[in-house]
């Protein structure tokens, strides 16, 4: 496999919040997406997911409380945990999910 320029992959996506699988590690998918200022509805997953902000800021609501994840920071959302993106999120996000 070759080196992947993650930020360039995010910039090339056709629209914000559409993800691209960059690779797989075991059963986990490593995805990238470009955030914009718009919110994303609440969701939950059967497996945990790691949210790594490369640049910008991710504004979340997790189980009813506000969480801000900044550049170089990661937040792990537990399996079955309700979470939504608040307005104001922007930048490049890497998601690792099983």
């Amino acid at each position: 496999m070759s080196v992947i320029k993650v930020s360039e992959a995010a910039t090339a996506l056709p629209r914000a919040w559409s993800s691209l699988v960059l690779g797989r590690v075991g059963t986990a998918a490593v995805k990238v997406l470009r955030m914009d200022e718009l919110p994303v509805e609440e969701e939950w997953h059967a497996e945990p997911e790691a949210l790594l902000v490369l640049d910008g800021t991710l504004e979340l609501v997790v189980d009813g409380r506000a969480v801000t994840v900044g550049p170089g920071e990661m937040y792990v959302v537990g399996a079955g945990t309700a979470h939504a993106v608040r307005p104001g999120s922007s930048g490049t996000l890497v998601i690792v999910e099983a």
Side-chain angles (χ1 to χ4, degrees):
M1 179 174 236
S2 60
V3 173
I4 298 170
K5 295 184 178 183
V6 178
S7 293
E8 287 180 17
T11 300
L13 290 169
R15 65 186 188 286
W17 299 109
S18 65
S19 63
L20 170 68
V21 175
L22 298 175
R24 296 193 175 275
V25 180
T27 60
V30 179
K31 304 189 315 187
V32 66
L33 58 82
R34 185 179 71 254
M35 301 179 282
D36 64 7
E37 300 287 325
L38 299 176
V40 177
E41 292 183 12
E42 185 175 77
E43 62 182 11
W44 52 92
H45 310 281
E47 300 290 333
E49 66 179 353
L51 307 173
L52 171 63
V53 176
L54 293 185
D55 57 77
T57 304
L58 173 61
E59 300 289 349
L60 294 170
V61 175
V62 181
D63 274 342
R65 67 181 178 88
V67 175
T68 299
V69 187
E73 295 180 333
M74 183 178 78
Y75 186 84
V76 177
V77 179
T81 302
H83 58 287
V85 177
R86 295 184 289 141
S89 298
S90 65
T92 307
L93 178 66
V94 172
I95 300 174
V96 180
E97 63 184 15

